[in-house]
């Protein structure tokens, strides 16, 4: 993993904690949440306040996420909003924390100037011993406060102020006035600078989770379903096996979640297909121990030419689509039985775009760039188990093809309006005739 770190492909943009004041605030929050403290004098934290260095020191990479269900957070600065989220268990966690920071940035800026803000993302369940338990999750509530309880005290002061204003004899209530003065010493003037958090609760209808082998929950679509690596019995919703490519393809098509990754002939479409072919070839050659030592385009082309017959069918299918995009051939029929099928799709625009792209990346993991962009947990798992020559090629290609222009590459691959009319990518006849539910 050292290559990824050196190239800025892992642990990039973490927030550095090195000043004694910040370290002490972090320790107060850590002790408040877990009863533990760190002895490190320099470490880095992610969006939620998790530190891989502290996790290594404590021997517990889940020290802020016990049980993997209700993630705890430590905010030292609003600058954490630009950091990535590590050790992700739910796909919605990152957006929830970022939305929470964005909605309360002014309050958090003021509070973190003096203290750390600690809290928890509370699901409607406390543990998920069975897959069915995941379906009980409907919302996530963000509960947060400083380690000294300023937000809690501000709420108390608000109630006392309301009493003071409403009760006719409040002016003469010395106990009430004394309580208000005492709380105001720590909270400040809450009438002019409110210390409350907005939008603390978030809907959780559609999400990916790493629990129980990894599964995707789609509940806001026309035909709701769960797509799981380890299928299970569930009441009130269909469960599809991710290994059943035809069933998954039907689900995506019925709900209008995907569109072709190329929108027509032209150099832009050809470029996407050419890059995908190269990524699939690198993956196949790397796992076969046939990657050249020199990491450059010319060496890769020679290797692909020399071992073309041995490359997987998905590479040849994308090659036929590339020929069409360049005007050198007819539109190839690539249905859901073809190993290249999910490589030809991307998510349609809409609120489920990122979750669908994450699913497509898992269904087509040979495209390591797409996997790195859309499904980092799976990317890191597969990278860790890859042969060393393949790791070297992947790190170099990601640095060249993605890290140099992350926003441009993302827009090139995924940020598209609804696809223009083009030849239809169809499902296999058997599935199209029968349908996914018989």
């Amino acid at each position: 993993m050292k290559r990824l770190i050196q190239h800025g492909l892992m642990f990039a943009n973490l927030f550095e904690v090195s000043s004694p004041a910040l370290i002490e605030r972090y320790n107060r929050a850590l002790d408040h949440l877990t009863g533990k403290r760190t002895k490190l004098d320099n470490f880095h934290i992610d969006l939620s306040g998790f530190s891989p260095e502290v996790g290594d020191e404590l021997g517990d990479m889940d020290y802020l996420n016990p049980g993997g269900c209700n993630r705890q957070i430590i905010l030292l600065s609003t600058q954490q909003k630009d950091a990535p989220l590590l050790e992700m268990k739910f796909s919605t966690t990152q957006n929830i924390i970022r939305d929470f920071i964005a909605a309360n940035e002014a309050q958090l800026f003021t509070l973190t100037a003096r203290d750390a803000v600690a809290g928890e993302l509370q699901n409607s369940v406390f543990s998920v011993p069975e897959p069915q338990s995941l379906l009980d999750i409907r919302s996530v509530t963000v509960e947060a406060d400083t380690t000294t309880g300023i937000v809690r005290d501000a709420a108390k002061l608000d109630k006392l102020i309301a009493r003071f204003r409403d009760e006719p004899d409040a002016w003469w209530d010395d106990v009430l006035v004394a309580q208000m003065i005492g709380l105001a010493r720590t909270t400040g003037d809450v009438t002019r600078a409110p210390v409350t958090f907005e939008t603390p609760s978030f809907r959780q209808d559609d999400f990916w989770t790493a629990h129980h082998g990894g599964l995707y929950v789609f509940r806001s679509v026309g035909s709701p379903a769960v797509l799981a690596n380890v299928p299970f019995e569930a009441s009130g919703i269909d469960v599809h096996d991710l290994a059943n490519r035809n069933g998954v393809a039907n689900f995506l098509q019925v709900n209008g979640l995907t569109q072709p990754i190329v929108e027509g002939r032209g150099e832009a479409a050809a470029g996407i297909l050419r890059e995908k072919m190269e990524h699939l070839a690198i993956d196949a050659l790397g796992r076969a121990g046939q990657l050249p030592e020199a990491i450059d385009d010319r060496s890769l082309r020679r290797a692909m030419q020399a071992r073309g017959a041995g490359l997987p069918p998905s590479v040849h299918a994308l090659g036929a689509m590339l020929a069409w995009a360049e005007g050198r051939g007819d539109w190839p029929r690539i249905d859901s039985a073809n190993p290249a099928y999910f490589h030809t799709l991307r998510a349609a625009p809409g609120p489920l775009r990122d979750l669908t792209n994450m699913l497509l990346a898992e269904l087509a993991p040979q495209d390591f760039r797409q996997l790195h962009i859309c499904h980092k947990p799976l990317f890191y798992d597969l990278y860790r188990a890859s042969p060393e020559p393949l790791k070297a090629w992947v790190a170099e290609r990601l640095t060249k093809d993605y890290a140099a222009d992350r926003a441009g590459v993302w827009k090139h691959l995924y940020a598209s309006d609804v696809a223009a009319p083009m030849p239809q990518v169809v499902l296999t006849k058997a599935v199209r005739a029968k349908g996914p539910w018989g």
Side-chain angles (χ1 to χ4, degrees):
M1 310 303 281
K2 188 179 294 184
R3 288 190 187 91
L4 298 180
I5 298 173
Q6 291 172 342
H7 287 291
L9 298 167
M10 186 177 187
F11 298 156
N13 298 324
L14 294 178
F15 181 80
E16 184 177 9
V17 182
S18 56
S19 73
L22 285 181
I23 293 172
E24 176 55 29
R25 290 174 194 170
Y26 187 87
N27 267 325
R28 286 204 304 269
L30 186 61
D31 183 54
H32 177 73
L33 292 173
T34 69
K36 302 174 183 178
R37 296 177 69 89
T38 176
K39 297 179 180 179
L40 300 177
D41 56 11
N42 184 285
F43 53 91
H44 300 79
I45 59 176
D46 72 352
L47 172 67
S48 71
F50 165 77
S51 168
E53 295 106 321
V54 173
D56 184 62
E57 176 196 24
L58 299 176
D60 180 11
M61 300 306 281
D62 291 325
Y63 71 94
L64 282 185
N65 197 13
C69 193
N70 297 280
R71 186 154 189 152
Q72 296 171 320
I73 59 174
I74 298 176
L75 299 179
L76 298 181
S77 168
T78 54
Q79 295 178 30
Q80 284 175 238
K81 66 182 180 181
D82 298 321
L85 179 70
L86 307 179
E87 301 295 321
M88 183 170 67
K89 302 297 185 185
F90 287 88
S91 61
T92 51
T93 302
Q94 180 169 277
N95 286 338
I96 288 174
I97 298 176
R98 284 190 174 143
D99 288 347
F100 175 75
I101 294 174
N104 302 282
E105 191 157 2
Q107 294 95 320
L108 289 169
F109 182 84
T110 301
L111 292 172
T112 55
R114 294 182 291 171
D115 196 1
V117 171
E120 183 175 301
L121 274 64
Q122 292 190 349
N123 288 317
S124 47
V125 299
F126 295 102
S127 63
V128 285
E130 302 293 335
Q132 178 69 39
S133 304
L134 293 164
L135 302 179
D136 295 330
I137 299 174
R138 288 291 181 173
S139 65
V140 176
T141 301
V142 181
E143 293 196 355
D145 199 348
T146 64
T147 59
T148 53
I150 290 178
V151 176
R152 177 199 61 216
D153 290 344
K156 292 180 181 178
L157 182 55
D158 275 334
K159 292 180 180 179
L160 294 180
I161 291 173
R163 278 184 55 196
F164 184 80
R165 287 172 173 170
D166 296 340
E167 295 179 5
D169 297 328
W171 280 100
W172 314 107
D173 190 336
D174 292 340
V175 175
L176 175 61
V177 173
Q179 288 177 329
M180 290 169 59
I181 293 173
L183 289 171
R185 288 195 180 101
T186 58
T187 65
D189 186 353
V190 296
T191 61
R192 294 186 178 182
V195 187
T196 57
F197 291 138
E198 298 178 4
T199 60
S201 187
F202 300 84
R203 292 286 299 173
Q204 186 99 332
D205 290 328
D206 311 284
F207 60 88
W208 165 87
T209 177
H211 292 287
H212 299 291
L215 57 87
Y216 299 79
V217 178
F218 290 87
R219 287 188 288 212
S220 66
V221 296
S223 300
V226 176
L227 286 71
N229 280 301
V230 183
F232 59 96
E233 294 293 328
S235 58
I237 193 169
D238 292 299
V239 179
H240 299 309
D241 187 346
L242 277 172
N244 181 1
R245 295 172 59 87
N246 294 340
V248 173
N250 260 291
F251 168 80
L252 294 172
Q253 190 177 77
V254 165
N255 290 294
L257 294 174
T258 57
Q259 64 183 31
I261 199 163
V262 295
E263 301 177 31
R265 285 189 166 107
E267 184 53 38
I272 293 175
L273 292 168
R274 194 177 297 112
E275 291 163 2
K276 278 186 166 289
M277 284 179 60
E278 291 177 354
H279 298 157
L280 268 60
I282 290 171
D283 182 80
L285 294 171
R287 299 191 184 285
Q290 297 175 338
L291 277 173
E293 292 185 8
I295 305 177
D296 56 62
D297 293 343
R298 183 175 300 176
S299 299
L300 176 61
R301 283 194 296 271
R302 283 201 297 263
M304 291 175 66
Q305 291 167 355
R307 299 173 175 85
L311 291 175
S314 55
V315 175
H316 297 289
L318 291 179
M321 187 175 284
L322 174 61
W324 171 84
E326 294 178 333
R328 299 183 287 106
D330 297 329
W331 173 257
R333 179 186 174 86
I334 299 178
D335 60 26
S336 57
N338 192 303
Y341 177 74
F342 292 114
H343 289 289
T344 69
L345 301 176
R346 64 179 164 198
L352 297 179
R353 180 197 62 193
D354 293 345
L355 182 61
T356 303
N357 275 330
M358 189 178 195
L359 170 61
L360 290 172
E362 180 167 348
L363 294 168
Q366 300 82 8
D367 186 348
F368 53 82
R369 181 177 65 180
Q370 174 167 287
L371 199 63
H372 177 75
I373 296 172
C374 301
H375 200 327
K376 281 186 174 60
L378 182 57
F379 170 82
Y380 292 139
D381 287 344
L382 295 182
Y383 179 91
R384 192 177 289 111
S386 297
E388 285 301 317
L390 179 55
K391 288 181 180 178
W393 268 86
V394 167
E396 289 294 333
R397 289 294 295 232
L398 285 176
T399 302
K400 172 189 171 185
D401 295 346
Y402 174 58
D405 183 14
R406 296 171 190 262
V409 171
W410 191 93
K411 183 177 181 180
H412 170 60
L413 292 175
Y414 305 113
S416 171
D417 293 330
V418 178
M422 63 179 298
Q424 179 70 35
V425 179
V426 298
L427 306 180
T428 57
K429 289 183 178 179
V431 176
R432 190 172 65 250
K434 187 176 181 181
W437 300 286

